[in-house]
């Protein structure tokens, strides 16, 4: 235990620590059995089926242990590293924690913080942020302290983590290696050859020709390195190749938000748009050369480089963050038009938010608040070293493509969302948050009113109409520290009974794990983060969700940290439908302009064949339902006959019709009766 343990270069270490299953007290022996089984398997003395890991757990934990330096991978096989075998022989906890420290960020740094004084998990999250780790919850810190507890290096009592005597002896040997967030990196890691070749091709024309990628659904949690882990799993899954059906099954098993084949398709298409995977046949997928190189390097900057080479307006955001008046997704979306060669195709706030999530996961931006962003020191170094598109002539404002009513609705939604996020931390004025939440839910189509006062719910809202109508009480909780700790749930049934409600929405900026567990066990309580509600409000102007699509927001059976992912998927599904409408109309318009094709009629099979040439694989039912919408009497831009379908109006007319329908409702004046 006397040898100093130095980490790898800070940028090469992963942000995710392996998570074994079952009780923490059994993690060490479980890992020992796994390493021993793999070692014997490599020698031919046992079979992989005897390993203590199988199915979904195997697909998750084995790659995690590779990134953590415990295993290596060669020709599709997982083998223990020399360091892991040394720990297996010695049994010294210093050997294992040393492996983690060399390969995982915030291990030695965490122990260093605990050596100074015991700390809560939330306090350790604040410490982690100083090192550029954009964590919004204690989960990744708890994953690390669980390993310290499993190895006898730390203990948890009185709500704080304490180093044991063994931990105190070991921590000086772990030389810190993570730079603080405001430290300028000396040199960025050299990209692998496949990624370097991609960057070399990025001249101004190539940058302008990148796809808009207005629909990017990346599953996984937004915080805790979830986006990177999701993309890594998507890419690893196709090495060397995987069929459509197997890919869909894997995604549905790995991500709670992916419940249907169409959701799995959205995730696959996002990974394809980002340049990580590609079709290698009509029924299977493989990794791109650059995507495979990123899996090997495990370097977030390589992922960012690949994305920059494949989608419009990505690293350019790092430049715009220093220029925009409001550094939010909406503010950056307003600047996107200066990077958009096709002015009739704008990138809206939803698409920009997806890009910001990826920049955040790669450590290139950090959140200044719930809604605003800033460039990190690593981001400044990255933008200086990465080819970026120069802004186009910015004299043409984006308003030409966006109806004033939509911009007004977006501004209203942004104001509501900002008020929720601000009021959530104003403990001295709880009524402010109560009223903001009621206003936000009304904006989402759940009309209601504020109640407040001793012995009453803070408010009541309704969703649905007629026999589908449901009444919900609202309980809003503020916390200056961002986490609600004390809240009695025993009075909530009485509050519901007074107004005839079925469910309670308990809304706050964050919740103590014990309170969250108690609420999750109650089938009448839906725990909702204020950040989740704010994002739902922001997105509603562009992609208004139906009551059925909004169900994840109020579903009491769903943990609070899964709501964001499912709502994001619902919005991406809507955007995907809009994209399909646009592509189908484009195909029909091209056919209508062909003088050699009399009548310009196309059947569904013809349209599907053309869609495949454009990289879109859509089943016949979805094509037919989309065409039925375009041919409906109120829109009437496509005509149907026994010979198929043909376009009878331009894309500009479609936009006018859609805008006109909205204006007609606005000009009617009175709002229809609500439930």
């Amino acid at each position: 235990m006397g040898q100093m343990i130095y980490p790898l270069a800070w940028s090469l270490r992963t942000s995710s620590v392996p998570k074994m299953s079952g009780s923490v007290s059994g993690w060490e022996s479980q890992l020992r059995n796994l390493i021993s089984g793999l070692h014997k398997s490599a020698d031919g003395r046992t079979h992989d089926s005897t390993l203590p890991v199988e199915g979904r757990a195997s697909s998750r934990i084995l790659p995690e242990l590779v990134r953590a330096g415990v295993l290596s991978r060669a020709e599709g096989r997982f083998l223990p590293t020399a360091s892991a075998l040394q720990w297996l022989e010695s049994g010294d906890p210093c050997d294992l924690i040393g492996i983690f420290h060399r390969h995982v960020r915030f291990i030695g740094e965490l122990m260093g913080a605990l050596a100074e004084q015991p700390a809560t998990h939330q306090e350790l999250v604040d410490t982690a942020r100083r090192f550029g780790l954009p964590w919004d919850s204690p989960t990744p810190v708890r994953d690390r302290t669980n390993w310290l507890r499993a190895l006898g290096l730390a203990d948890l009592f009185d709500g704080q983590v304490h180093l044991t005597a063994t931990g105190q002896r070991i921590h000086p040997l772990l030389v810190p290696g993570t730079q603080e967030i405001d430290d300028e990196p000396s040199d960025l890691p050299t990209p692998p050859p496949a990624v370097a070749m991609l960057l070399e091709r990025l001249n101004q024309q190539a940058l302008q020709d990148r796809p808009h990628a207005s629909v990017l659904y990346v599953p996984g949690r937004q915080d805790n390195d979830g986006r990177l882990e999701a993309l890594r799993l998507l890419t690893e899954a196709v090495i060397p190749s995987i069929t459509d059906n197997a890919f869909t099954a894997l995604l549905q098993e790995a991500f709670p938000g992916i419940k249907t084949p169409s959701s799995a398709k959205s995730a696959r298409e996002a990974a394809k748009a980002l340049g990580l995977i590609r079709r290698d046949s009509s029924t299977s997928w493989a990794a791109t050369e650059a995507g495979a190189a990123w899996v090997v390097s495990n370097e977030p900057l390589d992922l960012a480089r690949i994305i920059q080479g494949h989608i419009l307006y990505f690293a350019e955001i790092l430049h715009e963050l220093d220029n925009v008046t409001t550094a939010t997704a909406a503010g950056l979306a307003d600047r996107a038009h200066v990077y958009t060669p096709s002015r009739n195709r704008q990138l809206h706030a939803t698409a920009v938010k997806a890009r910001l999530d990826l920049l955040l996961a790669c450590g290139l931006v950090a959140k200044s608040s719930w809604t605003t962003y800033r460039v990190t020191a690593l981001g400044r170094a990255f933008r200086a070293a990465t080819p970026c598109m120069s802004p186009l002539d910015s004299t043409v404002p984006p308003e030409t493509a966006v109806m004033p009513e939509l911009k007004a609705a977006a501004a209203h939604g942004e104001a509501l969302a900002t008020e929720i996020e601000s009021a959530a931390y104003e403990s001295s004025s709880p009524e402010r948050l109560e009223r903001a939440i009621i206003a936000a839910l009304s904006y989402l189509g759940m009309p209601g009113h504020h109640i407040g006062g001793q012995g009453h719910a803070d408010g009541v809202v309704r969703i649905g109409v007629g026999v589908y109508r449901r009444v919900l009480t609202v309980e809003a909780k503020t916390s200056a520290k961002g986490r609600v700790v004390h809240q009695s749930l025993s009075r909530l049934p009485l509050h519901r009974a007074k107004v005839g409600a079925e469910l309670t929405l308990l809304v706050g900026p964050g919740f103590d794990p014990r309170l969250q567990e108690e609420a999750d066990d109650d089938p009448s309580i839906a725990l909702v983060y204020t950040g989740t509600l704010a994002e739902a409000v922001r997105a509603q102007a562009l992609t208004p969700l139906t009551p059925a699509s909004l169900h994840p927001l109020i579903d009491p059976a769903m943990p609070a940290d899964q709501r964001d992912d499912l709502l994001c998927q619902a919005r991406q599904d809507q955007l995907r439908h809009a994209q399909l409408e646009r592509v189908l109309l484009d195909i029909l318009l091209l056919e209508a302009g062909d003088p050699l094709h009399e009548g310009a009629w196309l059947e569904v099979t013809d349209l599907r064949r053309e869609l495949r040439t454009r990289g879109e694989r859509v089943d016949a039912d979805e094509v037919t339902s989309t065409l039925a919408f375009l041919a409906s009497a109120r829109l009437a831009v496509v005509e149907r006959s026994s010979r198929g379908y043909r376009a009878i109006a331009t894309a500009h007319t479609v936009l006018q019709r859609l805008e006109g329908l909205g204006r007609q409702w606005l000009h009617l004046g009175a709002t229809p009766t609500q439930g």
Side-chain angles (χ1 to χ4, degrees):
M1 197 184 290
Q3 183 178 1
M4 301 291 284
I5 299 173
Y6 292 87
L8 298 168
W10 72 274
S11 61
L12 298 179
R13 293 193 289 169
T14 182
S15 300
S16 178
V17 69
K19 295 179 284 294
M20 308 301 290
S21 59
S23 171
V24 170
S25 61
W27 281 17
E28 181 181 8
S29 61
Q30 188 181 156
L31 183 59
R32 281 184 171 279
N33 292 338
L34 175 61
I35 293 173
S36 177
L38 287 169
H39 184 49
K40 292 177 181 178
S41 175
D43 292 338
R45 292 196 296 266
T46 188
H47 298 286
D48 290 346
S49 59
T50 66
L51 299 179
V53 179
E54 58 182 349
R56 176 178 174 181
S58 175
S59 65
R60 175 186 61 80
I61 190 61
L62 295 179
E64 286 182 358
L65 289 170
V66 170
R67 293 189 286 275
V70 176
L71 303 180
S72 62
R73 178 164 43 192
E75 298 179 354
R77 303 185 67 188
F78 294 89
L79 303 173
T81 61
S83 299
L85 293 175
Q86 177 183 332
W87 168 69
L88 192 65
E89 182 178 351
S90 71
D92 188 342
C94 185
D95 287 341
L96 180 59
I97 207 67
I99 297 172
F100 287 162
H101 174 59
R102 285 193 295 272
H103 293 84
V104 179
R105 297 176 68 185
F106 202 59
I107 296 290
E109 298 82 1
L110 167 63
M111 294 184 68
L114 292 175
E116 296 179 5
Q117 62 181 17
T120 66
H121 282 109
Q122 189 59 48
E123 289 169 343
L124 291 170
V125 170
D126 296 335
T127 302
R129 288 179 182 144
R130 298 207 313 264
F131 296 100
L133 293 165
W135 296 335
D136 294 328
S137 82
T139 301
V141 171
R142 190 173 289 109
D143 292 338
R144 287 157 170 76
T145 60
N146 281 344
W147 271 113
L148 298 182
R149 292 167 55 206
L151 296 173
L153 305 180
D155 198 4
L156 177 63
F157 57 90
D158 293 337
Q160 293 183 315
V161 184
H162 305 248
L163 281 189
T164 62
T166 304
Q168 291 283 1
R169 290 197 303 271
I170 286 178
H171 96 81
L173 303 178
L174 307 180
V175 178
T178 303
Q179 291 179 285
E180 299 222 9
I181 191 169
D182 290 326
D183 290 345
E184 293 285 352
S186 53
D187 291 301
L188 298 182
T190 302
V195 180
M197 289 178 59
L198 173 65
L199 295 177
E200 289 173 4
R201 295 195 293 266
L202 290 183
N203 56 31
Q204 284 299 306
Q205 187 59 53
L207 289 165
Q208 284 191 33
D209 291 341
R210 291 172 297 172
H212 283 63
S214 56
V215 180
L216 287 173
Y217 169 57
V218 179
R221 295 167 58 132
Q222 180 176 336
D223 60 355
N224 310 341
D225 206 24
R227 294 291 193 256
L228 293 187
E229 290 302 314
L231 289 175
R232 191 177 288 116
L233 186 150
L234 279 163
T235 310
E236 287 179 334
V238 302
I239 299 174
S241 182
I242 191 172
T243 65
D244 281 318
N245 291 339
F247 206 173
T248 296
L250 182 147
L251 293 173
Q252 289 179 312
E253 183 181 22
F255 300 105
I258 296 180
K259 298 184 180 299
T260 64
S262 64
S263 298
K265 176 183 176 181
S266 296
R268 291 198 307 264
E269 292 300 324
K272 176 184 175 184
L274 297 175
L276 300 175
I277 67 175
R278 60 177 176 80
R279 279 274 183 193
D280 69 340
S281 79
S282 61
T283 59
S284 62
W285 295 82
T288 63
E289 288 187 20
W294 169 58
V295 169
V296 173
S297 75
N298 194 37
E299 170 54 60
L301 294 188
D302 288 337
L303 173 63
R305 290 159 172 155
I306 295 169
I307 296 173
Q308 174 64 1
H310 286 86
I311 67 169
L312 194 71
Y313 196 45
F314 183 66
E316 291 78 9
I317 289 175
L318 301 175
H319 293 275
E320 289 301 323
L321 276 170
D322 289 341
N323 301 323
V324 293
T325 304
T326 307
T328 63
L332 290 162
D334 283 342
R335 282 289 297 168
H337 72 283
V338 302
Y339 296 95
T340 310
S342 300
R343 294 307 177 88
N344 63 334
R345 293 190 62 189
Q346 296 300 315
L347 286 174
H348 295 286
T350 303
V352 174
K353 176 65 166 54
R355 287 159 166 78
L356 285 166
D357 286 344
L358 293 168
L359 290 167
L360 183 68
C362 292
L364 303 179
V365 302
K367 280 189 171 182
S368 303
S369 69
W370 278 101
T371 59
T372 59
Y373 299 80
R374 64 181 177 85
V375 184
T376 63
L378 181 62
R380 291 192 295 270
F382 179 81
R383 73 185 180 190
T386 304
C388 288
M389 179 178 168
S390 300
L392 304 171
D393 179 12
S394 60
T395 57
V396 180
E399 286 82 353
T400 55
V402 183
M403 59 187 288
E405 290 87 348
L406 179 58
K407 290 186 68 67
H412 179 50
E414 179 64 33
L416 283 174
T418 302
E419 174 65 6
I420 291 171
E421 292 168 334
S422 176
Y425 294 88
E426 189 63 53
S427 298
S428 61
S429 181
E431 185 176 324
R432 179 185 169 196
L433 179 61
E434 295 166 9
R435 293 187 178 277
I437 289 172
I438 297 298
L441 292 171
S442 296
Y443 180 77
L444 292 173
M446 303 181 214
H449 60 273
H450 177 255
I451 302 175
Q454 188 71 23
H456 299 282
D458 296 330
V460 60
V461 297
R462 302 180 303 279
I463 186 170
V465 297
V467 296
Y468 302 105
R469 169 174 153 167
R470 306 180 76 184
V471 179
L472 305 87
T473 56
V474 175
E475 305 287 347
K477 301 301 169 186
T478 61
S479 173
K481 294 184 177 180
R483 184 174 59 166
V484 178
V485 177
H486 303 293
Q487 166 61 36
S488 172
L489 305 183
S490 60
R491 296 190 298 271
L492 301 187
L494 178 61
H495 293 177
R496 291 195 295 270
K498 287 182 177 180
V499 295
E502 302 175 44
L503 303 174
T504 295
L505 294 184
L506 183 56
V507 188
F511 298 92
D512 180 83
R514 292 180 182 177
L515 174 58
Q516 184 159 331
E517 183 177 355
E518 183 182 358
D520 285 343
D521 289 340
D522 191 323
S524 299
I525 299 176
L527 214 61
V528 181
Y529 297 142
T530 49
T532 298
L533 180 58
E535 286 303 318
V537 167
R538 281 194 180 89
Q540 191 72 355
L542 178 62
T543 52
L545 299 182
T546 64
S549 299
L550 280 169
H551 181 67
L553 183 65
I554 64 168
D555 184 359
M558 184 171 298
D561 57 7
Q562 292 183 13
R563 301 187 194 279
D564 276 314
D565 194 31
L566 293 181
L567 290 171
C568 176
Q569 172 60 47
R571 291 192 290 269
Q572 296 298 340
D573 284 345
Q574 286 206 18
L575 290 174
R576 188 173 62 82
H577 290 315
Q579 183 182 40
L580 179 58
E581 292 159 10
R582 177 61 185 266
V583 173
L584 284 172
L585 188 61
D586 283 345
I587 294 171
L588 291 171
L589 287 170
L590 284 173
E591 193 67 19
D594 185 353
L596 300 179
H597 194 164
E598 183 180 356
W601 297 99
L602 288 177
E603 295 183 352
V604 170
T605 53
D606 301 321
L607 290 164
R608 291 184 67 203
R609 188 180 302 111
E610 180 61 27
L611 284 169
R612 284 196 294 271
T613 67
R614 301 184 179 209
E616 299 282 348
R617 295 178 180 273
V618 186
D619 61 49
D621 289 342
E622 191 171 4
V623 171
T624 302
S625 64
T626 302
L627 291 168
F629 169 70
L630 295 173
S632 62
R634 291 280 278 164
L635 206 56
V637 296
V638 166
E639 183 180 10
R640 180 185 179 185
S641 79
S642 59
R643 289 179 287 175
Y645 298 84
R646 68 178 177 183
I648 55 175
T650 65
H652 178 67
T653 301
V654 179
L655 183 60
Q656 286 181 321
R657 295 274 180 88
L658 290 171
E659 291 181 351
L661 292 176
R663 290 194 184 96
Q664 289 169 19
W665 277 73
L666 288 170
H667 293 162
L668 290 175
T671 302
T673 301
Q674 302 192 60

